């Protein structure tokens, strides 16, 4: 059974994951409008992944005797300066999400809720992967600079990375 404190922290995390999904959906749509179809496919898939992260929390809260709250969401940013701008804001967002997750993990230890602590470890690992992936993509974009051919190949690579269906891992 979840304590009220842990239930509230998990519900706050439901909102964080839902906001991530919305933010990446907006980025995907921007990419699609720019003709960056690989980047758009990658971000649509990333958005789907975040929705699965949210669902995993909703189900856990309900299974553990809590009540999951489906949150209202603010409109995410919809205009971006460049593809590099997109991945920089994605990384910035993910580092904030990591802090939120660490906060929940810390609370689990303080509350001696080892079941939820164990459940949250999946999110801890996921954040390591997501941050690393975002850093790798930013590094590549920095190398490419304003080279249109390089950007074309980058976009095509992202198309390839988006081929598998959304699962619980990173795209
Ligand atoms: Fe849910 O992993 Fe990103 O935010």
């Amino acid at each position: 059974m979840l304590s009220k404190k842990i239930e509230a922290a998990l519900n706050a995390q439901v909102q964080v994951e839902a906001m991530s999904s919305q933010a990446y959906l907006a980025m995907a749509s921007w990419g699609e409008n720019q003709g960056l179809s690989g980047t758009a496919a990658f971000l649509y898939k990333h958005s789907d992944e975040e929705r699965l992260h949210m669902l995993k929390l909703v189900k856990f809260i309900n299974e553990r005797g809590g009540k999951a709250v489906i949150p209202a969401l603010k409109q995410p940013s919809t205009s971006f300066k460049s593809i590099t701008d997109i991945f920089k804001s994605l990384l910035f967002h993910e580092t904030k999400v990591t802090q939120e997750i660490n906060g929940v993990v810390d609370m689990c230890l303080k509350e001696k809720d080892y079941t939820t602590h164990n459940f949250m470890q999946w999110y801890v690992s996921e954040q390591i992967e997501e941050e690393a992936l975002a850093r790798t993509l930013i590094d590549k974009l920095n190398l490419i600079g304003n080279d249109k051919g390089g950007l074309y190949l980058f976009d095509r690579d992202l198309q390839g990375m988006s081929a598998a269906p959304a699962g619980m891992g990173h795209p």
Side-chain angles (χ1 to χ4, degrees):
M1 186 83 184
L2 294 173
S3 72
K4 283 289 157 207
K5 216 167 156 183
I6 298 287
E7 182 181 346
L10 291 175
N11 270 318
Q13 195 59 38
V14 166
Q15 184 169 32
V16 168
E17 302 292 343
M19 278 164 48
S20 301
S21 181
Q22 285 290 89
Y24 301 152
L25 184 57
M27 290 176 183
S29 179
W30 181 90
E32 195 159 55
N33 284 328
Q34 300 290 315
L36 296 162
S37 56
T39 305
F42 175 89
L43 290 164
Y44 277 127
K45 189 173 174 201
H46 202 153
S47 173
D48 286 348
E49 299 277 346
E50 297 297 352
R51 185 165 190 281
L52 292 174
H53 299 175
M54 177 196 69
L55 276 177
K56 194 174 159 86
L57 279 156
V58 165
K59 289 182 178 166
F60 180 81
I61 295 167
N62 289 337
E63 275 165 14
R64 297 289 300 154
K67 197 166 159 219
V69 179
I70 308 307
L73 299 173
K74 277 203 310 208
Q75 183 174 28
S77 303
T78 53
S79 68
F80 304 92
K81 289 198 286 284
S82 64
I83 183 168
T84 308
D85 185 34
I86 289 248
F87 285 102
K88 280 190 177 159
S89 44
L90 188 147
L91 176 60
F92 180 72
H93 183 81
E94 287 302 331
T95 52
K96 282 203 302 191
V97 173
T98 301
Q99 284 170 14
E100 306 281 350
I101 286 169
N102 288 343
V104 179
V105 170
D106 191 46
M107 188 186 288
C108 290
L109 287 177
K110 288 196 177 113
E111 296 279 302
K112 298 189 171 22
D113 182 343
Y114 302 116
T115 308
T116 306
H117 182 270
N118 183 54
F119 169 77
M120 289 304 296
Q121 294 312 301
W122 183 87
Y123 289 86
V124 171
S125 309
E126 181 65 19
Q127 285 311 117
I128 295 169
E129 281 187 30
E130 287 196 1
E131 283 191 30
L133 179 61
R135 285 196 180 91
T136 303
L137 295 177
I138 291 168
D139 286 347
K140 281 190 186 178
L141 285 167
N142 285 337
L143 278 174
I144 291 166
N146 290 325
D147 174 17
K148 288 232 167 22
L151 188 57
Y152 171 79
L153 292 175
F154 176 89
D155 191 62
R156 209 181 58 179
D157 280 359
L158 286 194
Q159 186 87 57
M161 287 170 79
S162 314
M168 284 292 188
H170 67 71

